[in-house]
Amino acid sequence: MSQIREANEHLVIANLRSQEVAERMRQLYEGATAAIQAKEDFFATLSHELRTPLTSITGWAALLMRNPEPSTIVEAVQSIATSASLLAHLVDALLDVSRIMTGKFAITREEIDLAAVGNDAVSAMRPVAAAKGLSLQITSQQSIIINGDATRLRQVVSNLLSNATKFTPAGGLVEVRLLLDGSDAVIEVSDTGEGISSHFLPLVFERHAQAGARRFGGLGLGLAIVKHIVELHGGSVAAASRGEGKGATFTIRIPI
């Protein structure tokens, strides 16, 4: 009887282990399938984002060769310059992500005024906000001195402002607050825009996150780059939203 009982116990254990293995294989398969789908979606988006400015550039260039009238030249050059700037931005984002993935993304530390960095980023974004009918405000202490990379931190604020202006409808408010909180320098970028759904909020800093990116243009890389730059400064970044249609707030903390 004892031998039969032991045999039954072994069978039960073997069955449980086989179920665990099967479940693990299922999870791995689903994860691999999701990764493949995400990569395919990303390359489809990349193709679309690159094709749009390239089509504009080649179209206007062909028109200039056929009809080099002064009025046409002005409009064509403006459109080509805008499209070239968009292409440069896309390429820069791809290069940044490539450097992050290969461990070659680095920052240069020096004593900087974070308030000046924030003001520069806001000033550069004002024409975009004004063209969309948005109110762009900044509240900052007079001087916030930290040890960091001014160029990269300006990129951080610019990326957050770019997202905020994209997802905030006309008449909305985008606000930047820079302050000291104990031993941390804090950057808050908030808006009254579309907000972030609760199921997407935990994924917002993942590479290629695409909630709304296709509709507004972009590769979904900006927030992943923001997170990496902030972490290289020894800091942290968090996103908060009360839900769709209720705006969003991104808070960065960097040790002084």
Side-chain angles (χ1 to χ4, degrees):
M1 292 293 291
S2 62
Q3 291 178 341
I4 295 175
R5 187 163 51 250
E6 288 179 5
N8 287 335
E9 289 175 354
H10 285 306
L11 285 173
V12 170
I13 293 171
N15 185 48
L16 289 174
R17 286 178 178 172
S18 65
Q19 289 178 1
E20 291 174 358
V21 170
E23 176 62 19
R24 179 59 179 160
M25 292 297 292
R26 184 189 66 79
Q27 292 174 355
L28 289 173
Y29 174 77
E30 290 181 352
T33 301
I36 292 170
Q37 185 61 51
K39 184 179 291 187
E40 291 177 352
D41 290 345
F42 171 72
F43 281 112
T45 302
L46 175 60
S47 299
H48 172 78
E49 293 297 326
L50 291 174
R51 187 181 297 113
T52 299
L54 282 173
T55 300
S56 175
I57 290 171
T58 55
W60 280 109
L63 182 62
L64 282 176
M65 287 188 288
R66 293 196 309 270
N67 182 29
E69 294 293 329
S71 59
T72 304
I73 291 174
V74 172
E75 187 177 359
V77 169
Q78 289 175 341
S79 181
I80 289 172
T82 300
S83 297
S85 177
L86 176 57
L87 277 176
H89 178 74
L90 292 172
V91 171
D92 285 344
L94 290 170
L95 288 174
D96 281 344
V97 169
S98 176
R99 294 187 187 105
I100 290 171
M101 295 178 69
T102 57
K104 296 179 180 179
F105 192 103
I107 62 172
T108 302
R109 287 181 177 273
E110 60 182 344
E111 192 174 89
I112 62 171
D113 185 351
L114 190 60
V117 169
N119 278 303
D120 288 345
V122 169
S123 295
M125 189 58 63
R126 284 199 185 280
V128 177
K132 196 175 177 182
L134 302 176
S135 176
L136 177 56
Q137 300 177 2
I138 180 168
T139 303
S140 173
Q141 295 183 356
Q142 188 171 5
S143 181
I144 302 174
I145 305 301
I146 67 169
N147 194 287
D149 189 320
T151 300
R152 288 302 186 181
L153 289 174
R154 190 178 300 112
Q155 180 182 1
V156 163
V157 181
S158 296
N159 281 2
L160 293 178
L161 285 174
S162 177
N163 274 2
T165 54
K166 279 181 184 178
F167 293 102
T168 303
L173 170 66
V174 176
E175 188 173 7
V176 179
R177 290 180 292 277
L178 300 134
L179 55 107
L180 290 172
D181 182 19
S183 60
D184 290 340
V186 178
I187 306 170
E188 286 186 357
V189 178
S190 61
D191 62 67
T192 58
E194 296 190 0
I196 306 171
S197 64
S198 57
H199 75 272
F200 183 71
L201 198 57
L203 307 174
V204 74
F205 294 106
E206 297 294 323
R207 285 196 300 269
H208 318 323
Q210 290 295 323
R214 175 66 68 86
R215 184 157 55 93
F216 289 93
L219 299 175
L221 301 175
L223 292 179
I225 295 171
V226 164
K227 183 175 185 288
H228 191 76
I229 293 173
V230 171
E231 289 178 347
L232 284 177
H233 283 82
S236 63
V237 57
S241 176
R242 291 180 296 168
E244 295 184 32
K246 297 182 179 180
T249 298
F250 290 83
T251 303
I252 293 168
R253 304 184 75 90
I254 299 175
I256 299 173

